[in-house]
Amino acid sequence: MKQGKCPKCGSTNVYVAADLPLKSGPFGSNSIPVSLTAMAALDNYVCADCGLVESYIADEYMLKKIAGKWKPVNTAADDD
Ligand SMILES: [Zn+2]
């Protein structure tokens, strides 16, 4: 989706507002909790044909924080 193609319908009619002021939304609604005290704002990619929304965290500091605090989905012992 970041490359401008919708993974759902194949459209290239994809839009992003990464530099939107106040992009974290009213009361942080367009953000996710990272820890007790930290929220990460989301960049949303929207397909104007089918309406699919994909969200990304752009803040590298928050990505590092998540990698340090959250549980990894893939662990060495798991096979799926
Ligand atoms: Zn689409």
Side-chain angles (χ1 to χ4, degrees), residues 4-33:
K5 189 168 182 207
C6 177
K8 203 87 172 173
C9 74
S11 167
T12 52
N13 212 3
V14 173
Y15 296 85
V16 64
D19 56 353
L20 198 68
L22 302 174
K23 68 178 177 179
S24 65
F27 313 110
S29 58
N30 186 39
S31 58
I32 61 167

Side-chain angles (χ1 to χ4, degrees), residues 23 39-41 43 56-65:
K23 68 178 177 179
M39 299 285 284
D43 286 346
Y56 295 86
I57 295 168
D59 187 336
E60 280 187 33
Y61 172 77
M62 284 302 174
L63 292 176
K64 287 199 179 97
K65 210 171 163 97

Side-chain angles (χ1 to χ4, degrees), residues 41-60:
L42 300 172
D43 286 346
N44 293 312
Y45 287 72
V46 174
C47 172
D49 283 325
C50 75
L52 181 74
V53 179
E54 237 178 49
S55 300
Y56 295 86
I57 295 168
D59 187 336
E60 280 187 33

